[in-house]
C-alpha cells in the first residue's frame, strides 16, 4: 500500500543554519505530496504541497520539489529561525483515494 | 470560532466504558476526517465523510469504533467498550473541498483509558 518514510529526529540546528528533512514515498499512480507542521500545543497545519512531478511547493521560506524519479519530496529551508521549531510531517494523497497518509514526523529544534 | 473545534480536549475513562468524541468543523467545509495519533507517531487515518456520507471507514480498527455526521456538519466518533490500547490523541480535520489533501486540523482530544 501507499506509504511515506521520513528521516528520524530530532534534528537540532543553530539559528540561520540550512535545513533538510528527507521524505520518500511509495505509491501507485500519481500522488499529491504535502508537508504539514505541528507547533507545540497546536494542531497540524498545511505548510506546502505539490500535485505533480517537478512541481515545487513553497511557503514561509520552506521549499520541497516533487521528484518522481527518486520518489522524494525533501523539505528545505535556507536559514532556520527559533520559531521554526516544530514537528514536520510528510504526507501523500494517493491517486485513487482522498485520505492523507502521514509519515512519523521529524522534530526540529532550532537553538539561538 | 473560526477553526475546527474538538471536545472534550481531555478524557480519562475506565476500561469497558463507552466514549464519544465530538468534532465541529469549519463552517461550510465539505469533508471531515478522523485520525488517531500515538505519541511520537504520525496521524493514522480512521475514516472520512463528504457531507453526511461516510466515504471510507477502512481505517477504523474494529467494530468498537464508529463515526457519524448526520447533518453534514458536526461529527461524533464513538468508541465502545474502551480498552487501554485505545489511549491516543484523536484528531479531527475538515477540508473545504473534496480530494485536495488540504486539511484543517483541530487541537485533538486526548483519550486515556485506565
Amino acid at each position: 500500500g501507499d506509504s511515506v518514510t521520513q528521516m528520524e529526529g530530532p534534528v537540532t540546528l543553530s539559528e540561520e543554519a540550512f535545513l533538510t528533512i528527507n521524505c520518500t514515498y511509495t505509491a501507485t499512480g500519481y500522488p499529491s505530496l504535502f508537508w504539514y507542521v505541528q507547533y507545540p500545543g497546536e494542531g497540524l497545519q498545511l505548510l506546502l504541497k505539490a500535485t505533480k512531478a517537478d512541481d515545487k511547493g513553497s511557503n514561509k521560506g520552506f521549499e520541497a520539489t516533487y521528484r518522481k524519479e527518486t520518489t522524494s519530496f525533501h523539505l528545505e529551508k535556507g536559514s532556520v529561525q527559533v520559531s521554526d521549531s516544530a514537528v514536520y510531517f510528510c504526507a501523500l494523497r494517493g491517486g485513487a483515494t482522498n485520505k492523507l497518509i502521514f509519515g512519523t514526523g521529524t522534530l526540529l529544534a532550532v537553538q539561538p | 470560532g473560526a477553526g475546527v473545534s474538538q471536545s472534550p480536549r481531555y478524557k480519562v475513562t475506565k476500561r469497558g466504558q463507552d466514549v464519544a468524541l465530538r468534532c465541529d468543523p469549519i463552517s461550510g467545509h465539505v469533508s471531515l476526517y478522523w485520525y488517531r495519533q500515538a505519541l511520537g507517531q504520525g496521524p493514522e487515518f480512521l475514516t472520512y465523510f463528504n457531507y453526511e456520507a461516510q466515504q471510507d471507514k477502512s481505517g477504523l480498527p474494529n467494530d468498537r469504533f464508529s463515526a457519524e455526521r448526520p447533518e453534514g456538519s458536526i461529527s461524533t466518533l464513538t468508541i465502545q467498550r474502551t480498552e487501554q490500547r485505545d489511549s491516543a490523541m484523536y484528531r479531527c480535520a475538515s477540508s473545504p473541498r473534496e480530494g485536495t489533501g488540504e486539511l484543517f486540523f483541530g487541537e485533538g482530544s486526548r483519550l486515556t483509558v485506565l
Side-chain angles (χ1 to χ4, degrees), chain A residues 13-111:
Chain A
L13 296 174
S14 297
E15 207 164 21
E16 300 184 3
F18 184 86
L19 168 71
T20 300
I21 300 178
N22 290 339
C23 171
T24 57
Y25 68 89
T26 301
T28 54
Y30 303 95
S32 296
L33 301 172
F34 305 82
W35 278 100
Y36 276 77
V37 59
Q38 184 176 20
Y39 298 103
E42 299 184 12
L44 283 76
Q45 306 173 22
L46 177 64
L47 180 60
L48 53 83
K49 70 172 186 177
T51 58
K52 60 183 187 297
D54 299 326
D55 267 2
K56 178 184 285 188
S58 61
N59 186 25
K60 300 181 181 180
F62 290 89
E63 293 183 340
T65 302
Y66 187 158
R67 302 283 189 201
K68 193 170 188 301
E69 64 276 13
T70 54
T71 62
S72 66
F73 193 55
H74 304 321
L75 183 68
E76 297 181 335
K77 186 175 186 183
S79 176
V80 294
Q81 306 299 313
V82 172
S83 57
D84 294 326
S85 298
V87 181
Y88 292 82
F89 293 92
C90 186
L92 72 80
R93 183 181 69 82
T97 177
N98 284 328
K99 63 186 182 188
L100 275 191
I101 296 170
F102 287 87
T104 54
T106 302
L107 174 63
L108 170 66
V110 180
Q111 298 174 339

Side-chain angles (χ1 to χ4, degrees), chain A residues 93-101, chain B residues 23 29-36 44-60 66-69 72-73 75-77 91-95 97-101 103:
Chain A
R93 183 181 69 82
T97 177
N98 284 328
K99 63 186 182 188
L100 275 191
I101 296 170
Chain B
C23 173
H29 277 201
V30 169
S31 300
L32 185 148
Y33 295 76
W34 283 100
Y35 282 82
R36 179 170 68 174
E44 173 193 12
F45 172 81
L46 296 177
T47 184
Y48 90 94
F49 296 81
N50 284 335
Y51 300 102
E52 72 282 0
Q54 191 170 22
Q55 299 291 327
D56 184 342
K57 57 181 182 179
S58 62
L60 295 177
S66 62
E68 62 175 9
R69 193 187 186 199
S73 179
S75 177
T76 303
L77 176 70
R91 296 197 183 273
C92 176
S94 66
S95 181
R97 293 174 299 279
E98 179 182 359
T100 65
L103 305 188

Side-chain angles (χ1 to χ4, degrees), chain B:
Chain B
V4 176
S5 178
Q6 293 187 244
S7 61
R9 291 290 310 281
Y10 302 92
K11 176 70 175 178
V12 180
T13 191
K14 293 184 178 179
R15 188 177 54 184
Q17 297 295 305
D18 297 350
V19 298
L21 306 178
R22 173 187 164 121
C23 173
D24 195 348
I26 295 172
S27 179
H29 277 201
V30 169
S31 300
L32 185 148
Y33 295 76
W34 283 100
Y35 282 82
R36 179 170 68 174
Q37 187 175 12
L39 201 60
Q41 299 296 313
E44 173 193 12
F45 172 81
L46 296 177
T47 184
Y48 90 94
F49 296 81
N50 284 335
Y51 300 102
E52 72 282 0
Q54 191 170 22
Q55 299 291 327
D56 184 342
K57 57 181 182 179
S58 62
L60 295 177
N62 50 61
D63 60 7
R64 295 187 296 107
F65 287 72
S66 62
E68 62 175 9
R69 193 187 186 199
E71 297 179 1
S73 179
I74 293 169
S75 177
T76 303
L77 176 70
T78 301
I79 308 173
Q80 295 180 312
R81 305 180 302 281
T82 53
E83 301 178 4
Q84 286 185 327
R85 60 178 172 159
D86 299 335
S87 297
M89 177 73 81
Y90 289 83
R91 296 197 183 273
C92 176
S94 66
S95 181
R97 293 174 299 279
E98 179 182 359
T100 65
E102 298 181 28
L103 305 188
F104 295 76
F105 280 84
E107 294 183 334
S109 292
R110 169 74 67 189
L111 174 65
T112 302
V113 182
L114 302 177

